[in-house]
């Protein structure tokens, strides 16, 4: 920690670096933020979707505390030509698709970088960041899929052009056809999404009353309703919220379910966010399996 610095350079009037202590001494912003990996629910998409398989577990929630990025950028003085801000982590390695060693690096458009809720987080749930989650400092980009929230941050570069690193232009891009670059769209804001946590898929449960639980979230405003079906989508019931609404945070929900008769039950959940967005029955498939917000569907057997 005595050697770590956060450097800020590029299209700024005063390039400089910040020590951990300096960042700790600046005004802090605290926000509850849910981070969903863009590859969450990839396995439920399509067997052809490439990438790591998180099942439905590629989502987490925490209270993050740190310095607003715009405070740091304003101390350095953005130049008029500034267009994007690039964030570089300390992790680096080889890629299978091209020669060379690459650091994990991603950019944000200036507008999102200057949003008061885009922070350089130093604390997670009131404690210094755990190593796995980015110690000493990480970016937190509320509302965007997890890839934007660069961990082990050590360098910020303000640029006057669009960043072309592989974690920006090869990974985290929606496309269906490698040969056709015209349909490529960057992965950014989290779509409204929800999952069933309990019971689990293929679980055998006893006859009687159960509580179906899960979580719902959206990058476009708080989720306002979650509906659950225990009859394969024929009828839907409104679930009860366990958490208050907050723009960037998931809300856990529950529904009492009286499983009176033995048999197979298809349980589904769909959520609605404050901007009126809901799930498609099936999300649009893309080659890398990003952004699957199709309706989560499990089958449970009542004994
Ligand atoms: N430096 C660095 N930051 C990173 C990554 C990475 O590989 N290296 N992975 C990103 C991705 S894809 C996700 S989903 C989130 C995961 O954050 P978590 O490990 O705190 O859950 O971190 C993001 N930040
Ligand atoms: Mo991810």
């Amino acid at each position: 920690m005595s050697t770590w610095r956060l450097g800020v350079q590029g299209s700024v009037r005063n390039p400089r670096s910040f020590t951990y202590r300096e960042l700790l001494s600046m005004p802090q912003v605290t926000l509850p933020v849910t981070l969903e990996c863009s590859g969450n629910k990839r396995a439920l998409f399509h067997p052809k979707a490439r990438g790591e398989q998180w099942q439905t577990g590629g989502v987490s929630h925490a209270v993050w505390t740190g310095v607003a990025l715009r405070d740091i950028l304003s101390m350095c003085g953005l130049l008029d030509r500034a267009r994007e801000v690039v964030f570089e982590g300390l992790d680096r390695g080889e890629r299978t698709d091209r020669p060379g060693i690459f650091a994990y690096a991603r950019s944000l458009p200036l507008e999102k970088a200057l949003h008061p809720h885009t922070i350089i987080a130093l604390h997670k749930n009131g404690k210094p960041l755990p190593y796995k989650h980015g110690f000493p400092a990480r970016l937190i980009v509320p509302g965007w899929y997890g890839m934007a929230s660069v961990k082990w941050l050590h360098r910020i570069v303000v640029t006057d052009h669009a960043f072309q690193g592989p974690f920006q232009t090869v990974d985290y891009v929606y496309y269906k056809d490698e040969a056709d670059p015209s349909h490529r769209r960057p992965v950014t804001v989290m779509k409204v999404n929800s999952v069933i946590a309990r019971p689990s898929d293929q679980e055998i449960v006893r006859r009687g009353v159960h509580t179906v639980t899960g979580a719902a979230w959206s990058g476009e405003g708080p989720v306002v309703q979650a509906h659950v079906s225990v009859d394969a989508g024929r009828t839907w019931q409104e679930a009860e919220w366990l958490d208050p609404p907050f723009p960037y945070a998931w809300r856990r929900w529950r529904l009492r379910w009286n499983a009176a008769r033995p048999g197979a039950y298809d349980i589904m959940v769909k959520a609605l966010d404050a901007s009126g967005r809901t799930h498609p029955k099936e999300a649009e498939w893309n080659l890398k399996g990003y952004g699957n917000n199709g309706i989560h569907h499990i089958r449970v057997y009542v004994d």
Side-chain angles (χ1 to χ4, degrees):
M1 273 327 293
S2 55
T3 57
W4 180 86
R5 297 284 186 279
L6 177 62
V8 184
Q9 59 197 63
S11 300
V12 290
R13 209 162 295 119
N14 314 302
R16 56 165 290 183
S17 62
F18 296 80
T19 66
Y20 189 64
R21 271 166 183 272
E22 275 177 288
L23 294 174
L24 281 176
S25 72
M26 291 173 66
Q28 306 285 305
V29 177
T30 294
L31 289 167
V33 175
T34 294
L35 292 181
E36 183 187 16
C37 178
S38 50
N40 192 29
K41 295 164 92 174
R42 171 182 279 141
L44 305 176
F45 231 138
H46 194 290
K48 261 165 69 187
R50 297 176 201 163
E52 283 188 75
Q53 297 301 1
W54 309 108
Q55 309 304 336
T56 55
V59 55
S60 68
H61 177 85
V63 175
W64 303 92
T65 301
V67 182
L69 175 64
R70 67 172 183 179
D71 291 354
I72 289 176
L73 294 176
S74 74
M75 283 171 78
C76 301
L78 287 177
L79 296 177
D80 286 345
R81 64 168 186 264
R83 204 174 127 191
E84 286 195 355
V85 184
V86 180
F87 305 88
E88 194 180 289
L90 283 163
D91 51 330
R92 49 191 61 237
E94 293 177 357
R95 293 180 56 96
T96 52
D97 58 351
R98 56 181 69 183
I101 305 283
F102 296 88
Y104 187 87
R106 297 259 325 159
S107 76
L108 286 179
L110 204 55
E111 193 194 1
K112 189 66 181 172
L114 293 175
H115 190 284
H117 294 160
T118 299
I119 62 174
I120 308 287
L122 306 167
H123 288 90
K124 180 185 186 210
N125 295 332
K127 299 194 196 99
L129 297 187
Y131 178 70
K132 264 179 79 174
H133 298 288
F135 184 81
R138 80 177 295 176
L139 188 65
I140 289 288
V141 185
W144 283 37
Y145 282 106
M147 76 282 141
S149 294
V150 177
K151 302 191 273 192
W152 311 297
L153 188 62
H154 81 126
R155 197 188 350 248
I156 295 177
V157 185
V158 180
T159 64
D160 57 3
H161 57 272
F163 180 58
Q164 296 294 331
F167 296 95
Q168 191 82 24
T169 58
V170 179
D171 300 325
Y172 311 114
V173 176
Y174 295 113
Y175 64 93
K176 291 183 183 172
D177 181 357
E178 247 152 345
D180 178 4
S182 64
H183 295 291
R184 298 167 68 92
R185 276 188 306 122
V187 176
T188 58
V189 177
M190 292 191 293
K191 305 173 190 174
V192 60
N193 210 350
S194 56
V195 291
I196 301 162
R198 301 230 154 65
S200 30
D201 189 29
Q202 304 298 319
E203 192 172 329
I204 301 168
V205 301
R206 297 232 174 113
R207 218 189 299 184
V209 176
H210 295 274
T211 306
V212 185
T213 62
W217 63 91
S218 168
E220 314 234 36
V223 281
V224 294
Q225 278 178 359
H227 284 98
V228 177
S229 174
V230 294
D231 57 8
R234 272 185 291 278
T235 61
W236 295 87
Q237 285 165 270
E238 194 168 342
E240 175 193 348
W241 293 117
L242 303 178
D243 299 306
F246 191 81
Y248 313 118
W250 75 15
R251 297 177 80 183
R252 289 162 295 173
W253 52 262
R254 73 173 168 209
L255 183 86
R256 198 175 159 277
W257 170 41
N258 185 7
R261 268 176 296 172
Y265 289 80
D266 286 79
I267 306 183
M268 299 171 157
V269 60
K270 61 182 181 188
L272 178 75
D273 72 16
S275 50
R277 289 178 173 80
T278 186
H279 303 250
K281 191 157 189 300
E282 280 170 31
E284 203 182 328
W285 173 76
N286 57 92
L287 205 56
K288 294 201 174 182
Y290 295 130
N292 187 0
N293 71 335
I295 291 178
H296 190 202
H297 175 179
I298 64 168
R299 178 163 290 176
V300 174
Y301 300 92
V302 175
D303 206 348

